[in-house]
Amino acid sequence: MPTDAVGRFLAALAPEKQEVVGARPREEQERLAAAWERELEADDELDTLDELSPPAAEAEAARRVLDRGID
């Protein structure tokens, strides 16, 4: 299991998104991973989901980051 923010972010993405984001420059991957971490920290709904299923919360936060057009 990845331990750095980018690796964890990429692991939380759907497989087809992993390839797209993984092909981008490292700086952009780091920016997206930072946005993902902020999403996980800031959203109370994700806290509840995280208690039930941490991987589901991480995947939902990753989806939100990409859906907002941050990608």
Side-chain angles (χ1 to χ4, degrees):
M1 175 161 191
T3 57
D4 71 314
V6 172
R8 291 187 343 265
F9 172 64
L10 290 173
L13 292 170
E16 65 275 3
K17 297 292 185 178
Q18 287 176 357
E19 291 181 26
V20 172
V21 174
R24 294 184 180 192
R26 180 71 181 186
E27 283 182 2
E28 188 172 351
Q29 291 177 21
E30 290 171 353
R31 184 177 58 79
L32 289 168
W36 172 71
E37 288 184 322
R38 286 190 302 273
E39 183 74 20
L40 284 170
E41 291 172 6
D43 193 305
D44 291 338
E45 289 177 15
L46 290 176
D47 286 343
T48 302
L49 181 58
D50 187 50
E51 290 177 14
L52 299 172
S53 174
E58 291 178 353
E60 175 62 15
R63 185 194 61 75
R64 290 178 185 183
V65 166
L66 294 181
D67 284 352
R68 278 199 307 262
I70 293 174
D71 63 341

